[in-house]
Amino acid sequence: ISPMRPDIIGGVTAIAADGTVIDTNYFTDEKAAREGEKQMMTPEVQEIMQRFGENAGQIEFVDLKDPWLH
């Protein structure tokens, strides 16, 4: 998906009728994802993430260790 985060192999974004946004990312493995989280972001990505945080409201992160995809 991005040369900056080769650990991310895909994702899905869903918007519920009440406006709730569910953004799901899939990673090669947990170790690679944790290492990717530690990387320094470019100024452009930092700006995008800052704007996202300002507009997103309540954010909750959930790690699914063994998801079932059907």
Side-chain angles (χ1 to χ4, degrees):
I1 294 210
S2 167
M4 290 178 41
R5 292 294 304 268
D7 56 310
I8 299 176
I9 57 175
V12 176
T13 299
I15 303 173
D18 68 356
T20 300
V21 177
I22 301 166
D23 190 26
T24 307
N25 292 292
Y26 299 94
F27 299 89
T28 53
D29 59 62
E30 185 174 5
K31 181 179 178 187
R34 299 294 176 224
E35 287 300 316
E37 291 172 349
K38 296 175 187 175
Q39 290 181 4
M40 203 56 152
M41 291 183 276
T42 66
E44 295 83 10
V45 173
Q46 288 177 355
E47 181 181 342
I48 291 167
M49 294 303 290
Q50 181 178 349
R51 282 188 284 149
F52 174 78
E54 291 168 355
N55 294 309
Q58 181 181 353
I59 300 173
E60 179 181 356
F61 293 92
V62 178
D63 289 339
L64 301 177
K65 306 281 183 171
D66 189 23
W68 293 16
L69 304 176
H70 295 276

